[in-house]
Amino acid sequence: MTVIAIADRRPNQTASKAASAVDPCTGCTVGKLSLCDALDAEGRKRFKPMVRGQALEPHQMLFQEGDAAEHVYTVTSGQVSLARSLPDGRRQIVDFAGPGDFLGLSLGLEEPVTHRLSAEALTQSRVCRLPRAAFNRLMQDEPALSRRALEFAARRIRASQEQQLSLGRKTAAERVASFLVDMAERNLARGGNASPLSLPMTRADIADHLGLTLETVSRAFSRLRKLGLIKLEGADRVAIPNLDALSGETAQSA
């Protein structure tokens, strides 16, 4: 799987070296959102010994583009950015992954398999990781898991199509409004609130995701605020008085 010069980025090492051996299934709060929810009791017995918990500090890399893709991951807490390097040296943030999101699904069939994206923790985060070979075997034996994996892949394709539409057809304010609506709807799907919305990513991260400059993103936030569509509560919190209004005609004319 399966969405850039940023200041204040510390040198990082791939986080797999710091994987925790603690049972990640104990106290897991994202089971209903994740792939493993498709498993029956017998499937879970097979799954549990294969998975390991892994903690990430802010700005720590989970994996780098081009690394050998030896594992697949589910985000259990925090936020992770997914980015790809462009030929001119810039990066494009493809997506922001949160609790329940699965990473490493759309890796292709070529051997050796390598990561096509880089994954970086934006906040203190946790993932559970599973060896890719074991995951492939489990999918062969568990049709429900395969179907759930296809659902995740289809969701990622739809998100990619929406991003392409946003980059090609929408104004800067529309792009930012669509981004905020998407983040709010993801929170709702996870059982959280649409507002206030916590944005752990920087404005520069958002710019690299939306194909805009930092200055343009800042102006778009100000524009939406002046229209009463959002309220800024610091650098990382946005209140959305009316989600329908933000996603509707008012935002489209911003």
Side-chain angles (χ1 to χ4, degrees):
M1 270 263 229
T2 159
V3 38
I4 292 180
I6 306 297
D8 298 325
R9 296 293 196 229
R10 302 195 302 267
N12 303 293
Q13 295 182 346
T14 301
S16 59
K17 297 179 181 179
S20 168
V22 176
D23 174 13
C25 299
T26 301
C28 178
T29 60
V30 300
K32 294 296 182 181
L33 302 172
S34 65
L35 279 177
C36 60
D37 187 51
L39 295 171
D40 58 17
E42 188 61 32
R44 287 174 184 269
K45 286 182 181 179
R46 294 182 58 195
F47 173 83
K48 194 171 181 179
M50 303 176 186
V51 70
R52 293 291 183 271
Q54 186 168 332
L56 300 169
E57 294 297 320
H59 312 306
Q60 189 174 0
M61 303 303 296
L62 177 60
F63 51 79
Q64 298 266 19
E65 183 178 354
D67 282 353
E70 298 175 348
H71 297 85
V72 294
Y73 307 84
T74 296
V75 181
T76 56
S77 66
Q79 287 279 337
V80 176
S81 68
L82 301 172
R84 190 165 192 173
S85 299
L86 300 177
D88 61 5
R90 294 176 298 163
R91 69 173 183 170
Q92 172 70 46
I93 293 185
V94 177
D95 201 1
F96 297 102
D101 286 334
F102 187 71
L103 311 181
L105 183 62
S106 300
L107 295 173
L109 300 176
E110 72 280 2
E111 295 290 347
V113 179
T114 58
H115 286 293
R116 298 177 179 177
L117 302 172
S118 295
E120 178 185 358
L122 298 174
T123 65
Q124 283 192 333
S125 305
R126 287 194 65 85
V127 300
C128 62
R129 72 176 197 175
L130 181 70
R132 187 176 66 87
F135 175 73
N136 288 342
R137 290 193 299 269
L138 195 59
M139 282 209 301
Q140 291 175 357
D141 298 337
E142 299 284 344
L145 183 65
S146 296
R147 288 193 295 271
R148 190 67 178 267
L150 286 175
E151 292 174 5
F152 272 70
R155 191 181 308 165
R156 180 57 56 86
I157 291 172
R158 287 195 298 270
S160 177
Q161 291 172 338
E162 286 296 322
Q163 186 185 26
Q164 289 177 6
L165 173 63
S166 179
L167 296 179
R169 296 292 183 180
K170 295 183 179 181
T171 66
E174 288 172 348
R175 294 185 202 185
V176 171
S178 294
F179 167 74
L180 294 175
V181 169
D182 180 51
M183 292 292 104
E185 290 178 342
R186 292 190 192 192
N187 275 359
L188 289 172
R190 295 173 182 137
N193 299 318
S195 179
L197 184 62
S198 177
L199 298 177
M201 65 288 296
T202 66
R203 294 289 191 267
D205 289 332
I206 296 172
D208 289 331
H209 178 53
L210 299 178
L212 300 169
T213 65
L214 173 59
E215 294 76 12
T216 301
V217 167
S218 296
R219 288 196 296 269
F221 269 93
S222 296
R223 174 66 173 162
L224 295 174
R225 179 182 58 79
K226 289 178 181 178
L227 289 171
L229 295 172
I230 63 173
K231 296 179 181 179
L232 302 180
E233 299 181 350
D236 60 353
R237 285 172 66 88
V238 176
I240 304 174
N242 189 322
L243 188 60
D244 290 336
L246 183 60
S247 60
E249 292 299 327
T250 306
Q252 294 174 15
S253 62

